[in-house]
Amino acid sequence: MEYTCILVTKPIDGVGVIQINRPAVLNALNLQTMTEIVAALGEFDADTTVRCIVLYGNEKAFAAGADIKEMTGADTVEMMKRDQFAKWEKIRTTKKPIIAAVSGFALGGGCELAMLCDMIVASDTAKFGQPEINIGVMPGAGGTQRLTRAVGKALAMEIALTGRMISAQEALSAGLVNRVVPTNVFFEEALALAKEVASKAPIATMLVKEAVLKSFSSTLEGGLEFERKNFYMLFSTEDQKEGMEAFVEKRKPNWKGR
Ligand code: HXC
């Protein structure tokens, strides 16, 4: 697929990189951008040389939301026909871990896209928010659900009801992001974290992601059962033997992804 709204980098050290590239509109997420992100993630998921993915924008904006100009004239039926959330569902089911590197604005759909990733590295100038209330709508791609799970009811209500943006530091204190780093190295820091993830046993990595996400949709009992099955499953991989033998032999493991 030819990309016009994103830039995709050839994987290096097991990390695939996707950059949202609509700087003139603060990386507003139009339908084409979402289609391309889904396609690029699909390619990385199928590529055995990729073990972790970084998604980022630029210093000024991760993404300032869904493209408002594309939605202004739409009615309910039109919005339902677009079925844009099918794309978001595809992102949710990406098997490999995705790290969002966020600098500047992560608003509305941009904040939701960052939360759909598995970890967030934020620059000290990052601003997170769900300002949909200011344009007469509300979050539609998980904002009321994922934000509440991440930061708790009180702050999620405030963010979604007032449209107030929170700073990177506030996002860190609230548990929304993993770390806050200087703006000039936000991408490099995310890349370093991604390389660390990419250096681990690939199948175990995917099963960890799957099991952690399961905790959002299961009872504790169901989640524990799911975790246990994934744990047992890893004992039929070559990497389990290699990892444990390497520990005993005091050497670095050589992962095969099998
Ligand atoms: C379309 C956008 C945009 C958006 C910015 N732009 N955000 N275009 N959709 N979400 C465009 C502006 O129109 C402008 O284009 C250019 O980007 C620069 O923006 P400015 O407003 O001039 O920049 P600034 O004054 O620095 O203000 C930055 C800002 C503001 C605070 C982020 O742009 C803003 O409030 N944007 C909208 C944020 C928002 O409401 N997001 C939620 C969208 S709804 P021109 O051509 O004028 O230069 C949503 C629902 C998700 O996300 C549902 C699930 C998919």
Side-chain angles (χ1 to χ4, degrees):
M1 180 175 187
E2 188 103 337
Y3 298 125
T4 56
C5 301
I6 62 170
L7 301 171
V8 178
T9 310
K10 233 177 170 329
I12 306 167
D13 296 336
V15 179
V17 176
I18 301 170
Q19 181 177 22
I20 307 167
N21 189 33
R22 301 186 77 213
V25 287
L26 301 178
N27 287 337
L29 301 167
N30 61 356
L31 295 171
Q32 181 62 24
T33 304
M34 293 308 298
T35 301
E36 292 183 13
I37 291 173
V38 169
L41 287 173
E43 279 183 33
F44 283 153
D45 233 12
D47 182 343
T48 51
T49 68
V50 175
R51 296 171 177 185
C52 190
I53 299 159
V54 173
L55 176 63
Y56 80 121
N58 55 53
E59 277 193 14
K60 235 182 136 191
F62 176 73
D67 193 316
I68 299 170
K69 289 163 198 160
E70 209 175 52
M71 294 184 290
T72 309
D75 62 13
T76 301
V77 174
E78 166 60 22
M79 286 302 280
M80 287 178 73
K81 275 191 184 160
R82 286 182 190 176
D83 194 21
Q84 59 183 315
F85 299 117
K87 298 192 207 322
W88 294 74
E89 269 304 294
K90 286 207 178 117
I91 299 174
R92 188 179 68 81
T93 55
T94 302
K95 292 189 181 67
K96 293 169 187 171
I98 310 171
I99 297 174
V102 175
S103 185
F105 298 111
L107 304 177
C111 186
E112 290 169 313
L113 182 59
M115 290 191 292
L116 202 46
C117 297
D118 303 300
M119 290 189 264
I120 301 177
V121 172
S123 88
D124 49 17
T125 54
K127 291 186 189 71
F128 297 85
Q130 298 289 162
E132 291 92 339
I133 198 77
N134 296 331
I135 53 169
V137 288
M138 62 175 283
T144 61
Q145 304 304 299
R146 290 198 183 90
L147 186 63
T148 308
R149 282 168 164 84
V151 306
K153 177 188 161 190
L155 187 55
M157 280 286 188
E158 185 183 330
I159 290 169
L161 287 174
T162 69
R164 176 171 81 83
M165 295 181 214
I166 61 168
S167 67
Q169 276 306 331
E170 193 174 356
L172 182 67
S173 317
L176 182 62
V177 308
N178 292 74
R179 57 191 70 166
V180 178
V181 300
T183 302
N184 61 340
V185 291
F186 83 100
F187 173 68
E188 287 73 16
E189 290 286 335
L191 198 58
L193 180 60
K195 283 183 184 174
E196 189 184 345
V197 173
S199 73
K200 310 294 179 189
I203 299 173
T205 299
M206 288 190 281
L207 295 195
V208 165
K209 167 169 174 165
E210 188 185 43
V212 172
L213 290 180
K214 194 74 181 169
S215 72
F216 289 113
S217 63
S218 68
T219 58
L220 178 60
E221 195 186 3
L224 289 170
E225 203 173 299
F226 189 85
E227 176 191 75
R228 207 170 304 131
K229 288 197 172 139
N230 276 7
F231 175 76
Y232 287 147
M233 204 144 66
L234 288 169
F235 282 77
S236 65
T237 64
E238 288 178 26
D239 284 344
Q240 172 267 325
K241 303 284 173 295
E242 168 63 10
M244 293 190 178
E245 280 168 17
F247 174 81
V248 173
E249 293 162 14
K250 299 188 188 299
R251 61 173 174 82
K252 266 186 85 171
N254 177 22
W255 306 124
K256 295 270 168 29
R258 284 198 297 266

